[in-house]
Amino acid sequence: MEKRSTTTAWVIVAIAFLGGVALACAQNKVPPVIDVVMLGFGIGETDAGWLTSVFTIMGMITALPASWLLQKLGAKRIGVISLVCCAVGSAAGAFCTDFWMLLATRVVEGVGVGMIAVVGPALIAMWFPAEKRGLPMGVWGSWMMVAQTLLFCFGGGIASAWGWQGVWWFVFGLCVIALVLYQWRVREPSGDMPNHAAGEESEEFHFGEGLKSGSTWILTLCGLIFNFCCFGFATYISLYWAQTFYGGDMAASNQWIAIMYALEVPVVIFLGWVMNHIRLGRRKFMGVIGFALYTFILFVCFRMDDPAMILPFIIIYPFLEGAIPTTYWTLVASTAKKPEYAGTSIGILNIGLNAGVLLGSPVTGFFIEHFGWAAATWPLAIASVVGAVLFVFVKTYYHGHSEDVVPMEGQEA
């Protein structure tokens, strides 16, 4: 255990971030090579969507137990377990020749992402007080975008050289590197500082109490809707652009997607910095505005018919998508009624996030396969409107770190 210092905190956040990127790469490795996978296994868009979304079944199952295990085993051990699960699942998947066996290995990998998604924000909540979490949570909120940038940039080239299996081995290597760094450097703070987010035993900690915050559940619905929308979009957008603009050339469309997600990385970090300068009770409105504007771009994403629209699309999209995860990751620990239940709130949020991924890709794929590309924009846009409305009702609780959080006795979840 170590005393908290800014340098130590950021080193640990960086390693947690790398672990998150490794598992996000595992989760997102299908879309950049979806054409190769569909051809290799003889499947359609709906089944290909399940390859992305089934990953999250174990993520949903392990999200809450992970928050409880965080109390028992600590963040380091849970991070190590998650990376081992993902590495094993990815290596096993590379040897699969049957679609259903590949699907099973994706479930094994999902055990890892369900845990790491709790560990990363919990480590930030341990090492940073509430008023300083905006920037590190903004960095953490970019883990998916960094992974998507890497995969859309290099996934096609790797698959051309070594088949889709090469992408699976690439993810395996990332997991091993992150695992070594976790084992070497990740620690939890000690001594005189609060450590309720995860890791310390408390005589007053009762797991069931952490489930009673209505605000946490509302934020979880927001997260579910966001992942439903963004994974429905991300799984198929490269395929749509390839078919519409590039005669089926996925490499050409993948490069545009890689640029788009690369742009989103500094955007979410900037939005995290902005969060640090907004009163905590008002931060939810970044999510409200983000969802409201996100609705419009989702409605046009599978209706574009002019390649000139691609450049403005990839410039605008990162700001609208990036605002939402930055908001819910920053707020989630403060939706717990007491600080010792912050880990439980993070676990609940991750159930919603995984449920959104589980539904987003196959539902969107179903609409594409049976009703066409344009029809698939309707469920995405409608869901985004609901997300904007729900964000209005998210409330935060005073945990003693910042005057800007409304005291619990002055509000109800």
Side-chain angles (χ1 to χ4, degrees):
M1 304 283 271
E2 301 180 36
K3 296 288 186 179
R4 179 166 62 184
S5 70
T6 301
T7 301
T8 300
W10 278 106
V11 167
I12 290 172
V13 166
I15 295 172
F17 177 74
L18 177 61
V21 168
L23 274 94
C25 281
Q27 183 167 351
N28 291 279
K29 62 191 175 187
V30 176
V33 293
I34 193 170
D35 58 333
V36 180
V37 173
M38 288 170 65
L39 181 62
F41 289 94
I43 58 175
E45 285 87 354
T46 305
D47 284 339
W50 281 114
L51 272 179
T52 295
S53 65
V54 75
F55 188 92
T56 63
I57 289 177
M58 289 307 298
M60 293 171 63
I61 294 172
T62 59
L64 275 179
S67 67
W68 177 78
L69 287 171
L70 217 53
Q71 294 279 338
K72 301 296 182 181
L73 301 179
K76 178 177 180 177
R77 290 177 183 173
I78 297 301
V80 167
I81 292 170
S82 67
L83 288 163
V84 168
C85 288
C86 191
V88 169
S90 193
F95 292 103
C96 289
T97 56
D98 177 78
F99 171 73
W100 295 104
M101 290 299 296
L102 183 61
L103 208 61
T105 65
R106 297 289 286 159
V107 175
V108 175
E109 292 176 275
V111 175
V113 79
M115 293 184 177
I116 204 74
V118 174
V119 170
L123 281 169
I124 292 171
M126 290 179 198
W127 284 93
F128 292 87
E131 64 270 19
K132 299 293 185 181
R133 287 178 196 156
L135 181 56
M137 283 297 188
V139 173
W140 172 257
S142 70
W143 64 317
M144 285 289 174
M145 300 83 174
V146 171
Q148 289 164 326
T149 300
L150 286 172
L151 290 167
F152 278 106
C153 190
F154 301 111
I158 294 172
S160 296
W162 296 288
W164 62 266
Q165 296 91 337
V167 178
W168 267 242
W169 286 117
F170 171 74
V171 171
F172 172 81
L174 282 179
C175 289
V176 171
I177 292 170
L179 178 61
V180 171
L181 292 174
Y182 249 86
Q183 189 65 36
W184 169 57
R185 195 66 183 89
V186 169
R187 301 289 186 273
E188 296 175 20
S190 64
D192 57 355
M193 57 169 297
N195 190 23
H196 297 301
E200 281 191 2
E201 281 293 324
S202 169
E203 293 181 0
E204 297 183 357
F205 181 85
H206 301 288
F207 182 75
E209 291 296 317
L211 305 177
K212 295 182 179 180
S213 172
S215 188
T216 296
W217 290 101
I218 293 172
L219 189 68
T220 296
L221 287 174
C222 294
L224 186 157
I225 289 169
F226 172 73
N227 269 5
F228 174 87
C229 294
C230 79
F231 275 87
F233 164 85
T235 301
Y236 300 104
I237 188 63
S238 186
L239 184 64
Y240 174 72
W241 285 356
Q243 292 180 357
T244 305
F245 303 129
Y246 299 110
D249 183 4
M250 285 282 288
S253 59
N254 278 352
Q255 293 306 307
W256 284 112
I257 305 300
I259 293 170
M260 181 178 72
Y261 285 119
L263 291 173
E264 192 165 346
V265 174
V267 166
V268 295
I269 294 173
F270 168 73
L271 292 174
W273 176 82
V274 171
M275 278 285 192
N276 278 354
H277 296 80
I278 301 175
R279 287 172 58 94
L280 191 54
R282 297 177 182 173
R283 292 177 179 179
K284 64 183 179 183
F285 292 107
M286 182 179 287
V288 175
I289 296 169
F291 258 130
L293 298 177
Y294 196 35
T295 301
F296 294 100
I297 206 160
L298 288 171
F299 189 70
V300 304
C301 67
F302 297 142
R303 299 169 181 268
M304 296 167 57
D305 56 7
D306 184 352
M309 297 176 65
I310 292 179
L311 183 57
F313 185 98
I314 67 169
I315 292 173
I316 295 169
Y317 184 86
F319 287 91
L320 306 187
E321 184 185 77
I324 302 166
T326 302
T327 304
Y328 63 62
W329 283 123
T330 302
L331 295 182
V332 60
S334 298
T335 62
K337 291 186 175 181
K338 294 182 180 180
E340 57 264 37
Y341 300 116
T344 304
S345 292
I346 294 169
I348 293 170
L349 172 62
N350 276 289
I351 291 175
L353 296 178
N354 282 290
V357 179
L358 180 66
L359 297 170
S361 298
V363 169
T364 305
F366 176 84
F367 273 84
I368 292 169
E369 194 170 342
H370 295 280
F371 304 106
W373 288 101
T377 64
W378 282 104
L380 299 178
I382 292 170
S384 186
V385 171
V386 175
V389 173
L390 287 174
F391 245 121
V392 174
F393 298 98
V394 174
K395 295 180 180 179
T396 50
Y397 295 95
Y398 180 63
H399 292 168
H401 295 307
S402 171
E403 294 177 356
D404 295 333
V405 190
V406 180
M408 189 171 68
E409 59 269 20
Q411 62 180 341
E412 293 183 5

